[in-house]
Amino acid sequence: QLYQLRGRVGRSNRVAYAYFTYRKDKVLSEVAEKRLQAIKEFTELGSGFKIAMRDLTIRGAGNLLGAQQHGFIDSVGFDLYSQMLKEAIEERRGDTTAQDKFEPEIDLQIDAYIPDTYISDGKQKIEMYKQ
């Protein structure tokens, strides 16, 4: 909601700023801190989807078929969570058309280390390893 409010402040022909404040003695929860950090981090135009995905990882997707509204999507990732949910629904419906799973194993026998001469920045190197 804060992101939506921030988006209403400026328009295409005007630059505007939104300042969100809270009481000095107010102790924010860890979740609130993470949400504010996401708003602070994603400032470019069209960041709504990124903020929504960050919020989804913070609070978790929840049990979509039950009463619980929290979960641990961050521990498995959104794609795997979606796949697991789809498979659980198919299994519950008794859908027997699901194919046997094939899990390939690829062993390249190479060193995947990125030398400092190629990427010197440690943060950027870690991002490349993640990708």
Side-chain angles (χ1 to χ4, degrees):
Q1 291 170 336
L2 286 176
Y3 178 75
Q4 293 296 322
L5 285 173
R6 186 178 71 177
R8 301 296 180 260
V9 175
R11 291 290 173 240
S12 62
N13 60 347
R14 281 184 260 153
V15 176
Y17 300 93
Y19 297 97
F20 301 113
T21 61
Y22 54 93
R23 288 192 325 263
K24 182 171 54 173
D25 60 337
K26 174 78 173 171
V27 177
L28 297 178
S29 68
E30 184 180 349
V31 171
E33 289 279 355
K34 286 181 179 180
R35 285 179 168 163
L36 286 174
Q37 181 61 35
I39 291 174
K40 182 178 174 184
E41 188 176 327
F42 298 115
T43 58
E44 65 271 0
L45 185 64
S47 292
F49 179 75
K50 290 178 183 176
I51 289 176
M53 289 305 293
R54 176 70 60 87
D55 187 55
L56 190 61
T57 62
I58 291 169
R59 66 180 166 83
N63 182 349
L64 299 179
L65 300 178
Q68 299 169 334
Q69 291 301 310
H70 56 81
F72 302 98
I73 193 169
D74 197 30
S75 60
V76 295
F78 181 73
D79 292 332
L80 181 57
Y81 181 85
S82 298
Q83 179 185 344
M84 292 168 63
L85 180 62
K86 180 181 175 229
E87 290 172 2
I89 291 170
E90 288 173 355
E91 183 179 317
R92 182 77 173 160
R93 288 181 178 162
D95 186 3
T96 58
T97 60
Q99 298 176 349
D100 293 337
K101 293 184 181 184
F102 174 72
E103 296 186 24
E105 183 177 317
I106 301 172
D107 187 5
L108 298 177
Q109 299 289 324
I110 61 170
D111 182 13
Y113 176 74
I114 300 173
D116 289 338
T117 56
Y118 190 71
I119 300 176
S120 59
D121 182 43
K123 273 188 164 182
Q124 188 178 13
K125 191 185 287 191
I126 289 172
E127 287 299 317
M128 294 307 295
Y129 280 129
K130 285 180 181 178
Q131 288 181 8

